[in-house]
Amino acid sequence: MAFIVVYDANVLYGNAVRDLFIRLARAKVVRAQWTDRILDEALGSLAAKRPDIAAEKIAQLRQMIITAVPDCRILTTAMYLPPRSEQALR
């Protein structure tokens, strides 16, 4: 079973790094996940630093990223940890 890895905006921002990490997810080396907020941050930064890229292209890129990794989007990055059992405390 692959590790679940939450990709940060830094991973989804640049072409080369994004391509590498999406390929890792598609090869099932990891189970990549991210929130809409993370993707908004990455693509918002890209749009701000590269005003020459049309908004339509950014929207298209967003859809391509989401489509490339099925079940990638999660609602939150907060982790759920089950309560400790008494046995675990001994």
Side-chain angles (χ1 to χ4, degrees):
M1 176 190 281
F3 287 103
I4 296 172
V5 179
V6 177
Y7 287 4
D8 191 16
N10 297 349
V11 170
L12 299 172
Y13 174 80
N15 286 338
V17 174
R18 180 179 57 242
D19 181 64
L20 171 65
F21 279 83
I22 286 177
R23 287 175 187 263
L24 289 172
R26 289 179 57 86
K28 301 195 184 318
V29 174
V30 297
R31 184 171 165 211
Q33 296 186 328
W34 55 80
T35 63
D36 284 334
R37 185 175 176 183
I38 290 170
L39 193 53
D40 290 345
E41 180 184 346
L43 298 179
S45 293
L46 181 61
K49 292 184 181 188
R50 293 286 311 272
D52 58 308
I53 301 175
E56 295 81 21
K57 289 288 187 184
I58 299 284
Q60 183 181 19
L61 176 59
R62 178 187 190 88
Q63 194 55 47
M64 289 170 60
I65 291 170
I66 293 168
T67 303
V69 185
D71 300 324
C72 59
R73 295 190 320 184
I74 54 175
L75 298 177
T76 181
T77 55
M79 291 177 33
Y80 170 76
L81 299 175
R84 292 183 180 184
S85 69
E86 287 185 34
Q87 187 175 15
L89 297 175
R90 293 181 193 174

